[in-house]
Amino acid sequence: MVKEHELTISLEEFGLSKYEARAYVTIVTKGTISASEVAYYSELPRTKVYPVLLKLQQKKLAILSKSKPVMCTAIAPEDAFDEIVHEQINKVDAMNTLVSNLKKISEESKKARGAEEKRYFHLHPNYVVKQLRTMVDGAKSSIHVMADSWGLSILAECKEELLSVLRRNLDVKLIVPSQVIGSESFRAMPDGVKIKSSEIIQNCFIFDDTELLLIDSTNGKGAIFTATDILGGNQTKIFSQVWKTALKIDNLSDMTKARALEVCKIINAINENGLGFVLNSIMNSKNKLVDFVKFLDKNGISLKDRPLEEILDIVNSTLEITCAGKIQYDSKTNNITLESKINSGHSLPWAMLIGSYLEQKGQSTKMTYHTDSHKGEMVHLKINS
């Protein structure tokens, strides 16, 4: 009964009345039967059954005998509905043609107004990693990423694909916030990925400067933008600008998370206060130098109880990050040399930090500063016993 009821409803969608549908299903099911039997099995009023059967005959769905009692035979469904099916197909074809024409008119109208439609695709959180792997593996020239802790954890799951593209010498750059430095995901980044640190407000993956994957860290959903020249160009420019001012932190990958975060905190504390310029002024005026150990202590970074080797290690890391420099310590001559690839006093704050530290340990220092327009700058610290 349930199946017959469903068939009845479907036939109504083809234009049959409720009574006509019931009657047709009955005679298809029972075979040749009388009009009174149709009324019985179809649960139709006896006064309505004959007009209903005449309608079925007019629609070429049934044949009625001229004898008494009137007998009803259903036309085979494949014959009865062949014309209706073709009519429906023609309607669908006509609708598709109409939609195509409307779409064409819409596109021409947008072009006339200087507008062009672009498409993007939503990604469920469960498919973001799979899609990212595909996009990383399919990159042709570059992969540029700005990622917070969420985005970095997803990128870490694509380590094998990253190794593959690095073997093809693709330019892979990554910008992350300082909070993730030293984390498990950070350590998962393969050698060859150029990493810098800056404040990040989005998870943006740029492939070949044109294809974008954006990920919402609040819900894990993603969106893919393809063939988006303007959007891709703008995101590429934003990435380039952030990259220029971001801290180079490749050398922090082997540190503990606590040490790496401390180095970044020291760099930010000094850079944000513009102390390089202050130091140049102090050096030129021969005034008392700034106590950097006390300055950092006020910023929540205590160095006074650390051994000299640890201080030198921290300063060496900061030089590598801020000015592609390094530090050398000769224990026999008690000389410390700080080198910087960049001029304009970039190494001076770090030399002053060491000087302040040694002064608190009861050791004085003599500082000499050299600069070369081609080689960079160099600061010598002579420790006096």
Side-chain angles (χ1 to χ4, degrees), residues 33 47 49 56 69 71 86 91 105 133 159 196 218 272-273 289 294 325 328 333 338 348 355 365 371 379:
I33 57 177
T47 56
V49 65
L56 289 179
M71 304 297 291
H86 280 85
K91 285 183 179 179
I105 293 172
R133 284 174 174 160
K159 184 175 181 179
K196 287 191 175 185
T218 61
E272 287 176 5
N273 289 276
L289 301 180
K294 185 179 293 185
Q328 294 180 353
T333 61
L338 295 84
L348 286 174
T365 58
T371 182
V379 180

mmCIF file with all atom_site columns, all heavy atoms in Angstrom, residues 33 47 49 56 69 71 86 91 105 133 159 196 218 272-273 289 294 325 328 333 338 348 355 365 371 379:
data_model
loop_
_atom_site.group_PDB
_atom_site.id
_atom_site.type_symbol
_atom_site.label_atom_id
_atom_site.label_alt_id
_atom_site.label_comp_id
_atom_site.label_asym_id
_atom_site.label_entity_id
_atom_site.label_seq_id
_atom_site.pdbx_PDB_ins_code
_atom_site.Cartn_x
_atom_site.Cartn_y
_atom_site.Cartn_z
_atom_site.occupancy
_atom_site.B_iso_or_equiv
_atom_site.pdbx_formal_charge
_atom_site.auth_seq_id
_atom_site.auth_comp_id
_atom_site.auth_asym_id
_atom_site.auth_atom_id
_atom_site.pdbx_PDB_model_num
ATOM 1   N N   . ILE A 1 33  ? -9.879  -5.192 -15.198 1.00 0.00 ? 33  ILE A N   1
ATOM 2   C CA  . ILE A 1 33  ? -10.935 -5.349 -14.195 1.00 0.00 ? 33  ILE A CA  1
ATOM 3   C C   . ILE A 1 33  ? -12.108 -4.459 -14.558 1.00 0.00 ? 33  ILE A C   1
ATOM 4   O O   . ILE A 1 33  ? -12.001 -3.583 -15.409 1.00 0.00 ? 33  ILE A O   1
ATOM 5   C CB  . ILE A 1 33  ? -10.435 -5.000 -12.775 1.00 0.00 ? 33  ILE A CB  1
ATOM 6   C CG1 . ILE A 1 33  ? -9.883  -3.565 -12.746 1.00 0.00 ? 33  ILE A CG1 1
ATOM 7   C CG2 . ILE A 1 33  ? -9.389  -5.979 -12.289 1.00 0.00 ? 33  ILE A CG2 1
ATOM 8   C CD1 . ILE A 1 33  ? -9.439  -3.110 -11.359 1.00 0.00 ? 33  ILE A CD1 1
ATOM 9   N N   . THR A 1 47  ? -19.876 7.002  -7.977  1.00 0.00 ? 47  THR A N   1
ATOM 10  C CA  . THR A 1 47  ? -20.406 7.989  -8.925  1.00 0.00 ? 47  THR A CA  1
ATOM 11  C C   . THR A 1 47  ? -19.293 8.690  -9.701  1.00 0.00 ? 47  THR A C   1
ATOM 12  O O   . THR A 1 47  ? -19.548 9.336  -10.719 1.00 0.00 ? 47  THR A O   1
ATOM 13  C CB  . THR A 1 47  ? -21.232 9.045  -8.190  1.00 0.00 ? 47  THR A CB  1
ATOM 14  O OG1 . THR A 1 47  ? -20.415 9.653  -7.174  1.00 0.00 ? 47  THR A OG1 1
ATOM 15  C CG2 . THR A 1 47  ? -22.457 8.417  -7.537  1.00 0.00 ? 47  THR A CG2 1
ATOM 16  N N   . VAL A 1 49  ? -16.213 7.068  -10.560 1.00 0.00 ? 49  VAL A N   1
ATOM 17  C CA  . VAL A 1 49  ? -15.281 6.161  -11.211 1.00 0.00 ? 49  VAL A CA  1
ATOM 18  C C   . VAL A 1 49  ? -15.379 6.200  -12.735 1.00 0.00 ? 49  VAL A C   1
ATOM 19  O O   . VAL A 1 49  ? -14.359 6.194  -13.423 1.00 0.00 ? 49  VAL A O   1
ATOM 20  C CB  . VAL A 1 49  ? -15.469 4.717  -10.697 1.00 0.00 ? 49  VAL A CB  1
ATOM 21  C CG1 . VAL A 1 49  ? -16.831 4.168  -11.081 1.00 0.00 ? 49  VAL A CG1 1
ATOM 22  C CG2 . VAL A 1 49  ? -14.350 3.824  -11.217 1.00 0.00 ? 49  VAL A CG2 1
ATOM 23  N N   . LEU A 1 56  ? -8.917  8.904  -18.224 1.00 0.00 ? 56  LEU A N   1
ATOM 24  C CA  . LEU A 1 56  ? -7.721  8.091  -18.464 1.00 0.00 ? 56  LEU A CA  1
ATOM 25  C C   . LEU A 1 56  ? -7.659  7.633  -19.921 1.00 0.00 ? 56  LEU A C   1
ATOM 26  O O   . LEU A 1 56  ? -6.592  7.571  -20.527 1.00 0.00 ? 56  LEU A O   1
ATOM 27  C CB  . LEU A 1 56  ? -7.698  6.877  -17.524 1.00 0.00 ? 56  LEU A CB  1
ATOM 28  C CG  . LEU A 1 56  ? -7.434  7.173  -16.037 1.00 0.00 ? 56  LEU A CG  1
ATOM 29  C CD1 . LEU A 1 56  ? -7.478  5.873  -15.231 1.00 0.00 ? 56  LEU A CD1 1
ATOM 30  C CD2 . LEU A 1 56  ? -6.061  7.841  -15.851 1.00 0.00 ? 56  LEU A CD2 1
ATOM 31  N N   . PRO A 1 69  ? -20.565 -5.499 -18.210 1.00 0.00 ? 69  PRO A N   1
ATOM 32  C CA  . PRO A 1 69  ? -20.075 -4.281 -17.533 1.00 0.00 ? 69  PRO A CA  1
ATOM 33  C C   . PRO A 1 69  ? -18.805 -3.756 -18.203 1.00 0.00 ? 69  PRO A C   1
ATOM 34  O O   . PRO A 1 69  ? -18.100 -4.504 -18.882 1.00 0.00 ? 69  PRO A O   1
ATOM 35  C CB  . PRO A 1 69  ? -19.791 -4.773 -16.115 1.00 0.00 ? 69  PRO A CB  1
ATOM 36  C CG  . PRO A 1 69  ? -19.386 -6.205 -16.287 1.00 0.00 ? 69  PRO A CG  1
ATOM 37  C CD  . PRO A 1 69  ? -20.247 -6.725 -17.413 1.00 0.00 ? 69  PRO A CD  1
ATOM 38  N N   . MET A 1 71  ? -15.179 -2.917 -18.822 1.00 0.00 ? 71  MET A N   1
ATOM 39  C CA  . MET A 1 71  ? -13.895 -3.459 -18.359 1.00 0.00 ? 71  MET A CA  1
ATOM 40  C C   . MET A 1 71  ? -12.772 -2.460 -18.693 1.00 0.00 ? 71  MET A C   1
ATOM 41  O O   . MET A 1 71  ? -12.791 -1.809 -19.744 1.00 0.00 ? 71  MET A O   1
ATOM 42  C CB  . MET A 1 71  ? -13.623 -4.799 -19.015 1.00 0.00 ? 71  MET A CB  1
ATOM 43  C CG  . MET A 1 71  ? -14.737 -5.826 -18.784 1.00 0.00 ? 71  MET A CG  1
ATOM 44  S SD  . MET A 1 71  ? -14.958 -6.251 -17.016 1.00 0.00 ? 71  MET A SD  1
ATOM 45  C CE  . MET A 1 71  ? -13.438 -7.141 -16.712 1.00 0.00 ? 71  MET A CE  1
ATOM 46  N N   . HIS A 1 86  ? 9.048   12.617 -22.863 1.00 0.00 ? 86  HIS A N   1
ATOM 47  C CA  . HIS A 1 86  ? 9.734   13.447 -23.855 1.00 0.00 ? 86  HIS A CA  1
ATOM 48  C C   . HIS A 1 86  ? 9.354   14.920 -23.706 1.00 0.00 ? 86  HIS A C   1
ATOM 49  O O   . HIS A 1 86  ? 10.185  15.822 -23.919 1.00 0.00 ? 86  HIS A O   1
ATOM 50  C CB  . HIS A 1 86  ? 9.416   12.953 -25.276 1.00 0.00 ? 86  HIS A CB  1
ATOM 51  C CG  . HIS A 1 86  ? 10.237  11.768 -25.681 1.00 0.00 ? 86  HIS A CG  1
ATOM 52  N ND1 . HIS A 1 86  ? 9.873   10.484 -25.371 1.00 0.00 ? 86  HIS A ND1 1
ATOM 53  C CD2 . HIS A 1 86  ? 11.431  11.686 -26.336 1.00 0.00 ? 86  HIS A CD2 1
ATOM 54  C CE1 . HIS A 1 86  ? 10.776  9.639  -25.838 1.00 0.00 ? 86  HIS A CE1 1
ATOM 55  N NE2 . HIS A 1 86  ? 11.739  10.334 -26.435 1.00 0.00 ? 86  HIS A NE2 1
ATOM 56  N N   . LYS A 1 91  ? 11.134  20.244 -21.855 1.00 0.00 ? 91  LYS A N   1
ATOM 57  C CA  . LYS A 1 91  ? 11.007  21.377 -20.949 1.00 0.00 ? 91  LYS A CA  1
ATOM 58  C C   . LYS A 1 91  ? 12.324  21.653 -20.222 1.00 0.00 ? 91  LYS A C   1
ATOM 59  O O   . LYS A 1 91  ? 12.737  22.797 -20.058 1.00 0.00 ? 91  LYS A O   1
ATOM 60  C CB  . LYS A 1 91  ? 9.902   21.111 -19.927 1.00 0.00 ? 91  LYS A CB  1
ATOM 61  C CG  . LYS A 1 91  ? 8.491   21.228 -20.482 1.00 0.00 ? 91  LYS A CG  1
ATOM 62  C CD  . LYS A 1 91  ? 7.459   21.014 -19.385 1.00 0.00 ? 91  LYS A CD  1
ATOM 63  C CE  . LYS A 1 91  ? 6.028   21.150 -19.939 1.00 0.00 ? 91  LYS A CE  1
ATOM 64  N NZ  . LYS A 1 91  ? 5.019   20.930 -18.876 1.00 0.00 ? 91  LYS A NZ  1
ATOM 65  N N   . ILE A 1 105 ? 23.857  36.869 -20.954 1.00 0.00 ? 105 ILE A N   1
ATOM 66  C CA  . ILE A 1 105 ? 23.454  38.275 -20.876 1.00 0.00 ? 105 ILE A CA  1
ATOM 67  C C   . ILE A 1 105 ? 24.029  38.931 -19.628 1.00 0.00 ? 105 ILE A C   1
ATOM 68  O O   . ILE A 1 105 ? 24.508  40.067 -19.659 1.00 0.00 ? 105 ILE A O   1
ATOM 69  C CB  . ILE A 1 105 ? 21.910  38.392 -20.880 1.00 0.00 ? 105 ILE A CB  1
ATOM 70  C CG1 . ILE A 1 105 ? 21.355  37.950 -22.243 1.00 0.00 ? 105 ILE A CG1 1
ATOM 71  C CG2 . ILE A 1 105 ? 21.469  39.816 -20.576 1.00 0.00 ? 105 ILE A CG2 1
ATOM 72  C CD1 . ILE A 1 105 ? 19.842  37.846 -22.269 1.00 0.00 ? 105 ILE A CD1 1
ATOM 73  N N   . ARG A 1 133 ? 47.541  19.817 1.119   1.00 0.00 ? 133 ARG A N   1
ATOM 74  C CA  . ARG A 1 133 ? 48.572  18.911 0.599   1.00 0.00 ? 133 ARG A CA  1
ATOM 75  C C   . ARG A 1 133 ? 48.590  18.919 -0.927  1.00 0.00 ? 133 ARG A C   1
ATOM 76  O O   . ARG A 1 133 ? 49.652  18.951 -1.549  1.00 0.00 ? 133 ARG A O   1
ATOM 77  C CB  . ARG A 1 133 ? 48.324  17.494 1.113   1.00 0.00 ? 133 ARG A CB  1
ATOM 78  C CG  . ARG A 1 133 ? 48.711  17.292 2.570   1.00 0.00 ? 133 ARG A CG  1
ATOM 79  C CD  . ARG A 1 133 ? 48.313  15.912 3.051   1.00 0.00 ? 133 ARG A CD  1
ATOM 80  N NE  . ARG A 1 133 ? 48.815  15.661 4.393   1.00 0.00 ? 133 ARG A NE  1
ATOM 81  C CZ  . ARG A 1 133 ? 48.331  14.736 5.211   1.00 0.00 ? 133 ARG A CZ  1
ATOM 82  N NH1 . ARG A 1 133 ? 47.313  13.969 4.814   1.00 0.00 ? 133 ARG A NH1 1
ATOM 83  N NH2 . ARG A 1 133 ? 48.845  14.566 6.405   1.00 0.00 ? 133 ARG A NH2 1
ATOM 84  N N   . LYS A 1 159 ? 54.368  18.049 5.750   1.00 0.00 ? 159 LYS A N   1
ATOM 85  C CA  . LYS A 1 159 ? 55.828  18.042 5.738   1.00 0.00 ? 159 LYS A CA  1
ATOM 86  C C   . LYS A 1 159 ? 56.391  17.307 4.525   1.00 0.00 ? 159 LYS A C   1
ATOM 87  O O   . LYS A 1 159 ? 57.344  17.778 3.891   1.00 0.00 ? 159 LYS A O   1
ATOM 88  C CB  . LYS A 1 159 ? 56.357  17.412 7.021   1.00 0.00 ? 159 LYS A CB  1
ATOM 89  C CG  . LYS A 1 159 ? 57.879  17.460 7.141   1.00 0.00 ? 159 LYS A CG  1
ATOM 90  C CD  . LYS A 1 159 ? 58.355  16.946 8.485   1.00 0.00 ? 159 LYS A CD  1
ATOM 91  C CE  . LYS A 1 159 ? 59.876  17.029 8.593   1.00 0.00 ? 159 LYS A CE  1
ATOM 92  N NZ  . LYS A 1 159 ? 60.348  16.553 9.917   1.00 0.00 ? 159 LYS A NZ  1
ATOM 93  N N   . LYS A 1 196 ? 60.309  33.751 9.024   1.00 0.00 ? 196 LYS A N   1
ATOM 94  C CA  . LYS A 1 196 ? 60.421  35.022 9.727   1.00 0.00 ? 196 LYS A CA  1
ATOM 95  C C   . LYS A 1 196 ? 59.250  35.163 10.694  1.00 0.00 ? 196 LYS A C   1
ATOM 96  O O   . LYS A 1 196 ? 58.246  34.450 10.592  1.00 0.00 ? 196 LYS A O   1
ATOM 97  C CB  . LYS A 1 196 ? 60.448  36.192 8.743   1.00 0.00 ? 196 LYS A CB  1
ATOM 98  C CG  . LYS A 1 196 ? 61.760  36.328 7.976   1.00 0.00 ? 196 LYS A CG  1
ATOM 99  C CD  . LYS A 1 196 ? 61.818  37.654 7.210   1.00 0.00 ? 196 LYS A CD  1
ATOM 100 C CE  . LYS A 1 196 ? 63.155  37.857 6.546   1.00 0.00 ? 196 LYS A CE  1
ATOM 101 N NZ  . LYS A 1 196 ? 63.264  39.185 5.891   1.00 0.00 ? 196 LYS A NZ  1
ATOM 102 N N   . THR A 1 218 ? 39.073  30.131 13.719  1.00 0.00 ? 218 THR A N   1
ATOM 103 C CA  . THR A 1 218 ? 38.010  30.009 14.718  1.00 0.00 ? 218 THR A CA  1
ATOM 104 C C   . THR A 1 218 ? 37.142  28.777 14.497  1.00 0.00 ? 218 THR A C   1
ATOM 105 O O   . THR A 1 218 ? 36.571  28.236 15.437  1.00 0.00 ? 218 THR A O   1
ATOM 106 C CB  . THR A 1 218 ? 37.104  31.254 14.718  1.00 0.00 ? 218 THR A CB  1
ATOM 107 O OG1 . THR A 1 218 ? 36.482  31.392 13.427  1.00 0.00 ? 218 THR A OG1 1
ATOM 108 C CG2 . THR A 1 218 ? 37.917  32.504 15.025  1.00 0.00 ? 218 THR A CG2 1
ATOM 109 N N   . GLU A 1 272 ? 61.705  48.219 19.566  1.00 0.00 ? 272 GLU A N   1
ATOM 110 C CA  . GLU A 1 272 ? 60.513  49.068 19.677  1.00 0.00 ? 272 GLU A CA  1
ATOM 111 C C   . GLU A 1 272 ? 60.807  50.401 20.340  1.00 0.00 ? 272 GLU A C   1
ATOM 112 O O   . GLU A 1 272 ? 60.061  51.363 20.165  1.00 0.00 ? 272 GLU A O   1
ATOM 113 C CB  . GLU A 1 272 ? 59.421  48.321 20.459  1.00 0.00 ? 272 GLU A CB  1
ATOM 114 C CG  . GLU A 1 272 ? 58.786  47.191 19.659  1.00 0.00 ? 272 GLU A CG  1
ATOM 115 C CD  . GLU A 1 272 ? 57.793  46.403 20.488  1.00 0.00 ? 272 GLU A CD  1
ATOM 116 O OE1 . GLU A 1 272 ? 57.542  46.806 21.643  1.00 0.00 ? 272 GLU A OE1 1
ATOM 117 O OE2 . GLU A 1 272 ? 57.283  45.385 19.981  1.00 0.00 ? 272 GLU A OE2 1
ATOM 118 N N   . ASN A 1 273 ? 61.873  50.485 21.116  1.00 0.00 ? 273 ASN A N   1
ATOM 119 C CA  . ASN A 1 273 ? 62.209  51.729 21.796  1.00 0.00 ? 273 ASN A CA  1
ATOM 120 C C   . ASN A 1 273 ? 63.264  52.549 21.064  1.00 0.00 ? 273 ASN A C   1
ATOM 121 O O   . ASN A 1 273 ? 63.703  53.586 21.555  1.00 0.00 ? 273 ASN A O   1
ATOM 122 C CB  . ASN A 1 273 ? 62.685  51.434 23.226  1.00 0.00 ? 273 ASN A CB  1
ATOM 123 C CG  . ASN A 1 273 ? 61.555  50.981 24.123  1.00 0.00 ? 273 ASN A CG  1
ATOM 124 O OD1 . ASN A 1 273 ? 60.835  51.781 24.682  1.00 0.00 ? 273 ASN A OD1 1
ATOM 125 N ND2 . ASN A 1 273 ? 61.375  49.670 24.223  1.00 0.00 ? 273 ASN A ND2 1
ATOM 126 N N   . LEU A 1 289 ? 76.824  55.303 29.522  1.00 0.00 ? 289 LEU A N   1
ATOM 127 C CA  . LEU A 1 289 ? 76.040  54.426 28.667  1.00 0.00 ? 289 LEU A CA  1
ATOM 128 C C   . LEU A 1 289 ? 74.770  53.938 29.367  1.00 0.00 ? 289 LEU A C   1
ATOM 129 O O   . LEU A 1 289 ? 74.696  53.885 30.591  1.00 0.00 ? 289 LEU A O   1
ATOM 130 C CB  . LEU A 1 289 ? 76.890  53.221 28.245  1.00 0.00 ? 289 LEU A CB  1
ATOM 131 C CG  . LEU A 1 289 ? 78.180  53.556 27.486  1.00 0.00 ? 289 LEU A CG  1
ATOM 132 C CD1 . LEU A 1 289 ? 78.915  52.273 27.145  1.00 0.00 ? 289 LEU A CD1 1
ATOM 133 C CD2 . LEU A 1 289 ? 77.880  54.355 26.232  1.00 0.00 ? 289 LEU A CD2 1
ATOM 134 N N   . LYS A 1 294 ? 69.437  46.508 33.208  1.00 0.00 ? 294 LYS A N   1
ATOM 135 C CA  . LYS A 1 294 ? 68.365  47.074 34.022  1.00 0.00 ? 294 LYS A CA  1
ATOM 136 C C   . LYS A 1 294 ? 67.133  47.368 33.150  1.00 0.00 ? 294 LYS A C   1
ATOM 137 O O   . LYS A 1 294 ? 65.992  47.148 33.568  1.00 0.00 ? 294 LYS A O   1
ATOM 138 C CB  . LYS A 1 294 ? 68.845  48.349 34.707  1.00 0.00 ? 294 LYS A CB  1
ATOM 139 C CG  . LYS A 1 294 ? 67.835  48.955 35.673  1.00 0.00 ? 294 LYS A CG  1
ATOM 140 C CD  . LYS A 1 294 ? 68.383  50.209 36.329  1.00 0.00 ? 294 LYS A CD  1
ATOM 141 C CE  . LYS A 1 294 ? 69.553  49.881 37.252  1.00 0.00 ? 294 LYS A CE  1
ATOM 142 N NZ  . LYS A 1 294 ? 70.015  51.084 37.999  1.00 0.00 ? 294 LYS A NZ  1
ATOM 143 N N   . GLY A 1 325 ? 74.463  39.075 11.523  1.00 0.00 ? 325 GLY A N   1
ATOM 144 C CA  . GLY A 1 325 ? 75.781  39.183 12.147  1.00 0.00 ? 325 GLY A CA  1
ATOM 145 C C   . GLY A 1 325 ? 76.134  37.981 12.988  1.00 0.00 ? 325 GLY A C   1
ATOM 146 O O   . GLY A 1 325 ? 75.452  36.955 12.984  1.00 0.00 ? 325 GLY A O   1
ATOM 147 N N   . GLN A 1 328 ? 82.071  36.789 18.353  1.00 0.00 ? 328 GLN A N   1
ATOM 148 C CA  . GLN A 1 328 ? 83.242  35.954 18.606  1.00 0.00 ? 328 GLN A CA  1
ATOM 149 C C   . GLN A 1 328 ? 83.851  36.361 19.947  1.00 0.00 ? 328 GLN A C   1
ATOM 150 O O   . GLN A 1 328 ? 83.980  37.557 20.243  1.00 0.00 ? 328 GLN A O   1
ATOM 151 C CB  . GLN A 1 328 ? 84.281  36.105 17.488  1.00 0.00 ? 328 GLN A CB  1
ATOM 152 C CG  . GLN A 1 328 ? 83.806  35.585 16.141  1.00 0.00 ? 328 GLN A CG  1
ATOM 153 C CD  . GLN A 1 328 ? 84.856  35.744 15.044  1.00 0.00 ? 328 GLN A CD  1
ATOM 154 O OE1 . GLN A 1 328 ? 85.902  36.359 15.276  1.00 0.00 ? 328 GLN A OE1 1
ATOM 155 N NE2 . GLN A 1 328 ? 84.580  35.213 13.882  1.00 0.00 ? 328 GLN A NE2 1
ATOM 156 N N   . THR A 1 333 ? 92.526  36.527 25.184  1.00 0.00 ? 333 THR A N   1
ATOM 157 C CA  . THR A 1 333 ? 92.808  37.969 25.134  1.00 0.00 ? 333 THR A CA  1
ATOM 158 C C   . THR A 1 333 ? 91.695  38.789 25.781  1.00 0.00 ? 333 THR A C   1
ATOM 159 O O   . THR A 1 333 ? 91.804  40.011 25.888  1.00 0.00 ? 333 THR A O   1
ATOM 160 C CB  . THR A 1 333 ? 92.981  38.421 23.675  1.00 0.00 ? 333 THR A CB  1
ATOM 161 O OG1 . THR A 1 333 ? 91.763  38.166 22.957  1.00 0.00 ? 333 THR A OG1 1
ATOM 162 C CG2 . THR A 1 333 ? 94.129  37.667 23.005  1.00 0.00 ? 333 THR A CG2 1
ATOM 163 N N   . LEU A 1 338 ? 81.739  41.854 17.854  1.00 0.00 ? 338 LEU A N   1
ATOM 164 C CA  . LEU A 1 338 ? 80.396  41.742 17.280  1.00 0.00 ? 338 LEU A CA  1
ATOM 165 C C   . LEU A 1 338 ? 80.435  42.253 15.851  1.00 0.00 ? 338 LEU A C   1
ATOM 166 O O   . LEU A 1 338 ? 80.903  43.364 15.599  1.00 0.00 ? 338 LEU A O   1
ATOM 167 C CB  . LEU A 1 338 ? 79.373  42.558 18.082  1.00 0.00 ? 338 LEU A CB  1
ATOM 168 C CG  . LEU A 1 338 ? 79.098  42.115 19.522  1.00 0.00 ? 338 LEU A CG  1
ATOM 169 C CD1 . LEU A 1 338 ? 80.129  42.705 20.477  1.00 0.00 ? 338 LEU A CD1 1
ATOM 170 C CD2 . LEU A 1 338 ? 77.689  42.522 19.934  1.00 0.00 ? 338 LEU A CD2 1
ATOM 171 N N   . LEU A 1 348 ? 75.347  48.017 17.881  1.00 0.00 ? 348 LEU A N   1
ATOM 172 C CA  . LEU A 1 348 ? 75.674  48.748 19.106  1.00 0.00 ? 348 LEU A CA  1
ATOM 173 C C   . LEU A 1 348 ? 74.804  48.384 20.310  1.00 0.00 ? 348 LEU A C   1
ATOM 174 O O   . LEU A 1 348 ? 75.319  48.219 21.418  1.00 0.00 ? 348 LEU A O   1
ATOM 175 C CB  . LEU A 1 348 ? 75.613  50.257 18.846  1.00 0.00 ? 348 LEU A CB  1
ATOM 176 C CG  . LEU A 1 348 ? 76.782  50.833 18.040  1.00 0.00 ? 348 LEU A CG  1
ATOM 177 C CD1 . LEU A 1 348 ? 76.528  52.292 17.717  1.00 0.00 ? 348 LEU A CD1 1
ATOM 178 C CD2 . LEU A 1 348 ? 78.090  50.687 18.805  1.00 0.00 ? 348 LEU A CD2 1
ATOM 179 N N   . GLY A 1 355 ? 78.248  44.966 27.631  1.00 0.00 ? 355 GLY A N   1
ATOM 180 C CA  . GLY A 1 355 ? 78.980  45.883 28.503  1.00 0.00 ? 355 GLY A CA  1
ATOM 181 C C   . GLY A 1 355 ? 78.264  46.096 29.826  1.00 0.00 ? 355 GLY A C   1
ATOM 182 O O   . GLY A 1 355 ? 78.892  46.102 30.899  1.00 0.00 ? 355 GLY A O   1
ATOM 183 N N   . THR A 1 365 ? 84.734  47.573 30.506  1.00 0.00 ? 365 THR A N   1
ATOM 184 C CA  . THR A 1 365 ? 85.045  47.262 29.107  1.00 0.00 ? 365 THR A CA  1
ATOM 185 C C   . THR A 1 365 ? 85.409  48.532 28.360  1.00 0.00 ? 365 THR A C   1
ATOM 186 O O   . THR A 1 365 ? 84.957  49.632 28.705  1.00 0.00 ? 365 THR A O   1
ATOM 187 C CB  . THR A 1 365 ? 83.829  46.611 28.407  1.00 0.00 ? 365 THR A CB  1
ATOM 188 O OG1 . THR A 1 365 ? 82.716  47.489 28.487  1.00 0.00 ? 365 THR A OG1 1
ATOM 189 C CG2 . THR A 1 365 ? 83.481  45.274 29.029  1.00 0.00 ? 365 THR A CG2 1
ATOM 190 N N   . THR A 1 371 ? 83.215  50.917 11.022  1.00 0.00 ? 371 THR A N   1
ATOM 191 C CA  . THR A 1 371 ? 82.180  50.719 10.001  1.00 0.00 ? 371 THR A CA  1
ATOM 192 C C   . THR A 1 371 ? 82.810  50.750 8.619   1.00 0.00 ? 371 THR A C   1
ATOM 193 O O   . THR A 1 371 ? 83.801  51.450 8.377   1.00 0.00 ? 371 THR A O   1
ATOM 194 C CB  . THR A 1 371 ? 81.087  51.809 10.094  1.00 0.00 ? 371 THR A CB  1
ATOM 195 O OG1 . THR A 1 371 ? 80.072  51.543 9.115   1.00 0.00 ? 371 THR A OG1 1
ATOM 196 C CG2 . THR A 1 371 ? 81.669  53.188 9.854   1.00 0.00 ? 371 THR A CG2 1
ATOM 197 N N   . VAL A 1 379 ? 82.101  45.866 16.192  1.00 0.00 ? 379 VAL A N   1
ATOM 198 C CA  . VAL A 1 379 ? 82.323  46.459 17.520  1.00 0.00 ? 379 VAL A CA  1
ATOM 199 C C   . VAL A 1 379 ? 83.246  45.538 18.306  1.00 0.00 ? 379 VAL A C   1
ATOM 200 O O   . VAL A 1 379 ? 83.008  44.340 18.407  1.00 0.00 ? 379 VAL A O   1
ATOM 201 C CB  . VAL A 1 379 ? 80.989  46.625 18.283  1.00 0.00 ? 379 VAL A CB  1
ATOM 202 C CG1 . VAL A 1 379 ? 81.254  47.254 19.660  1.00 0.00 ? 379 VAL A CG1 1
ATOM 203 C CG2 . VAL A 1 379 ? 80.017  47.481 17.502  1.00 0.00 ? 379 VAL A CG2 1
#
